[in-house]
Amino acid sequence: MAEPRRNLWARFLALPNESLTKTLGVAFLVALVSATTVSFTAIALKPRQQAQLDAAREEQLAGMIAALPGLANILRETGAESLQQVVVDLDSGAIDPDIAAADYDFIAAQSDAALSIALPPEADIAGIGRRPNLAPVYLMRNADGLALVVLPVYGQGYQSTIRAYLALEGDLDTIAGLSIYEQGDTPGLGARIAEPEWQALWAGKSLTDAGGAIAIKVVAGAEGPNEVDAITGATYSSGGVGNLVRFWVGPMGYGPFLARLKAGEF
Amino acid sequence: MSNPRLRTLTAPLIDENPITLQILGICSALAVTTSLATALTMSLALIAVLAGSSTAISLIRHHLPASIRLVVQITIIASLVIVADQFLRAFAFEMSQRLSIFVGLIVTNCVVLGRAESFALRNPVGASLLDAIGNGLGYSLILMLVALIREPLGSGSLFGWQVLPLASEGGWFQPLGFMLLAPSAFVLIGLLIWIIRSLRPEQVEADDYPILSSDSGEAGR
């Protein structure tokens, strides 16, 4: 069996390079070897990459919570266990009691057609195309009730997806902090949204204006409690962060959940 | 310089440097040289991809139909780039975040395809590998030189270590924001080319379209 096969291989190699068989054969073999190498590497390294991503995300969340003013006190008073993790149905705004937050893969759901809905272009101000039906939320309570709500948010930057945690104070209107943990915008320009100095500008801003409408935005020369200063040279990226915050606190994002939370439902 | 093998390895360092003589691979040289760490990672990734692609292409050079030559080369290069990117994501996550898309863009780095087309297609595996490593080192040398100027002047540090105390943190050094922007690398690479060509005048190219003076009277010479 081996002998004729080797002959076939030798005959294939002996073909003139410009023959159709050889051209197609070489193209096929190169594609096969390349695809196998890429697939094998991707699958073999996947668990390690996921572990790196999870570690980065957890570090970011821990870092942000530790950096929020007054939070160390809350933690001391109530113990770290009071950080409650829930999964929220974004359409109804209800907490889904059947799904453990640790088991829910938010990132995978973002591109899974069965677990997300397509957004109409006029509602898709974050530029994400599809939105998952379920999203995780972190709640922290102290003796006076709700102290902090942390929402994972994401949206389109200049050339990459920006992922961040948005922390709201107990009044569900004041931003306690914004922490961007993943972005790939232009280094030195758009990537400056990842700088702590800029993210610190978000703390203390209000999501809504006096009339209760969502008014938070990123503008050059910010004034008042609803505006955050854009980064010079990174207008598009910082504007993208503004848009994604507007989207996620709005009616297509966590809006319904925040409304029910404010009404004291959970 | 008598050993031709050694010459294959060392010529691309200065005499035939891919960046300063052939002006290839400029885009990534602008993008990743704001810090030494990113420049070093990018250099290692490029050397790995270049060595792999030149070896692979040299191995199959006798059986490569001319009609699909470029497609095959790009397929091999692109696969190796994905593999390099995956490795960075798995083992150097933070660095891969900082390099963002620029590792993926090695595919379009003309140094890689340039060496495949002009050397690996015609030369045996050993020589192609040496040529690839030599060109990779030549590219790395320029990247590291540019980063060595940009990082201290732009952010006052070397490999992330603060060597110049920043004014914003109570020191005296006011960083040059310009050094963090891509155009500064253009200026630095331009100066490097100027220096190298002043020292090695044979690298200066002949003028393709010389400006004729009006009284030369020899238009269309």
Side-chain angles (χ1 to χ4, degrees):
Chain A
M1 196 61 197
E3 205 43 34
R5 235 184 230 177
R6 189 186 292 170
N7 280 343
L8 201 61
W9 179 242
R11 269 180 22 223
F12 172 71
L13 288 185
L15 282 174
N17 274 354
E18 300 317 313
S19 78
L20 185 63
T21 320
K22 181 117 178 201
T23 306
L24 287 176
V26 168
F28 175 75
L29 286 175
V30 167
L32 185 71
V33 171
S34 302
T36 313
T37 315
V38 167
S39 317
F40 183 78
T41 322
I43 291 170
L45 295 178
K46 187 84 196 164
R48 231 195 140 87
Q49 294 172 352
Q50 198 53 49
Q52 296 265 26
L53 273 176
D54 292 345
R57 198 159 56 227
E58 263 158 40
E59 197 177 304
Q60 193 81 19
L61 184 62
M64 182 184 71
I65 288 176
L68 288 176
L71 216 76
N73 293 335
I74 300 171
L75 281 173
R76 241 198 317 279
E77 283 166 21
T78 56
E81 282 77 15
S82 67
L83 182 66
Q84 182 197 0
Q85 210 178 0
V86 295
V87 174
V88 169
D89 183 322
L90 291 176
D91 280 331
S92 67
I95 290 177
D96 191 325
D98 301 328
I99 300 178
D103 300 335
Y104 178 62
D105 191 342
F106 186 47
I107 306 276
Q110 288 161 14
S111 51
D112 190 331
L115 300 174
S116 59
I117 54 161
L119 292 170
E122 67 276 10
D124 187 16
I125 51 177
I128 53 179
R130 303 190 69 83
R131 189 217 65 195
N133 299 328
L134 301 172
V137 172
Y138 306 85
L139 303 171
M140 193 177 289
R141 296 174 204 274
N142 62 8
D144 308 328
L146 200 61
L148 191 76
V149 178
V150 180
L151 311 170
V153 295
Y154 66 98
Q156 184 62 36
Y158 180 63
Q159 59 185 20
S160 67
T161 301
I162 301 169
R163 296 181 185 281
Y165 288 111
L166 177 68
L168 301 179
E169 286 177 11
D171 64 2
L172 298 181
D173 185 48
T174 311
I175 296 176
L178 177 83
S179 177
I180 294 169
Y181 65 89
E182 192 182 319
Q183 57 83 27
D185 276 5
T186 325
L189 295 169
R192 290 174 58 202
I193 55 171
E195 289 177 358
E197 293 78 25
W198 187 67
Q199 292 179 28
L201 297 179
W202 287 83
K205 298 291 177 190
S206 287
L207 295 178
T208 54
D209 60 17
I214 292 171
I216 186 83
K217 62 180 166 198
V218 174
V219 292
E223 284 178 352
N226 297 127
E227 296 184 348
V228 176
D229 220 347
I231 302 175
T232 310
T235 322
Y236 204 100
S237 300
S238 40
V241 178
N243 287 340
L244 74 90
V245 169
R246 284 173 73 91
F247 172 82
W248 282 103
V249 299
M252 295 300 285
Y254 293 100
F257 168 72
L258 293 176
R260 291 175 70 165
L261 192 61
K262 201 177 265 181
E265 262 193 67
F266 306 113
Chain B
M1 294 293 163
S2 53
N3 187 337
R5 293 218 134 193
L6 191 66
R7 184 76 196 130
T8 313
L9 187 66
T10 56
L13 291 184
I14 292 178
D15 292 346
E16 287 162 30
N17 188 286
I19 295 186
T20 59
L21 181 67
Q22 304 169 25
I23 323 287
L24 296 178
I26 295 286
C27 9
S28 55
L30 303 182
V32 303
T33 50
T34 48
S35 78
L36 281 160
T38 48
L40 183 65
T41 316
M42 183 70 181
S43 301
L44 293 176
L46 183 107
I47 293 175
V49 169
L50 188 52
S53 71
S54 279
T55 309
I57 289 163
S58 173
L59 267 175
I60 59 168
R61 68 189 187 282
H62 293 303
H63 301 286
L64 202 47
S67 50
I68 56 166
R69 189 188 76 232
L70 282 172
V71 186
V72 167
Q73 292 178 42
I74 286 291
T75 308
I76 292 174
I77 295 169
S79 312
L80 287 167
V81 167
I82 299 174
V83 170
D85 193 28
Q86 296 285 331
F87 265 93
L88 278 182
R89 277 166 204 244
F91 294 99
F93 178 76
E94 203 193 335
M95 192 48 73
S96 79
Q97 286 282 300
R98 283 173 64 190
L99 284 172
S100 62
I101 56 168
F102 292 108
V103 173
L105 283 179
I106 294 178
V107 179
T108 60
N109 191 318
C110 316
V111 175
V112 185
L113 187 62
R115 289 336 285 171
E117 270 284 288
S118 63
F119 200 91
L121 266 184
R122 285 184 257 292
N123 288 281
V125 175
S128 298
L129 180 60
L130 281 181
D131 173 77
I133 295 177
N135 274 280
L137 289 174
Y139 170 88
S140 311
L141 181 70
I142 303 298
L143 248 64
M144 297 308 284
L145 274 177
V146 174
L148 191 64
I149 302 172
R150 285 179 81 183
E151 188 176 341
L153 291 183
S155 33
S157 56
L158 283 173
F159 277 109
W161 284 63
Q162 208 66 41
V163 288
L164 302 170
L166 293 183
S168 56
E169 286 156 22
W172 53 269
F173 180 67
Q174 187 66 46
L176 289 157
F178 175 63
M179 280 293 155
L180 295 177
L181 300 174
S184 69
F186 264 126
V187 174
L188 291 173
I189 292 175
L191 290 173
L192 271 176
I193 295 175
W194 182 22
I195 294 170
I196 292 176
R197 291 189 185 188
S198 302
L199 298 174
R200 311 241 165 151
E202 68 273 16
Q203 287 197 8
V204 179
E205 293 146 46
D207 208 339
D208 285 339
Y209 300 100
I211 300 171
L212 299 177
S213 61
S214 57
D215 53 49
S216 72
E218 269 191 75
R221 161 166 68 100

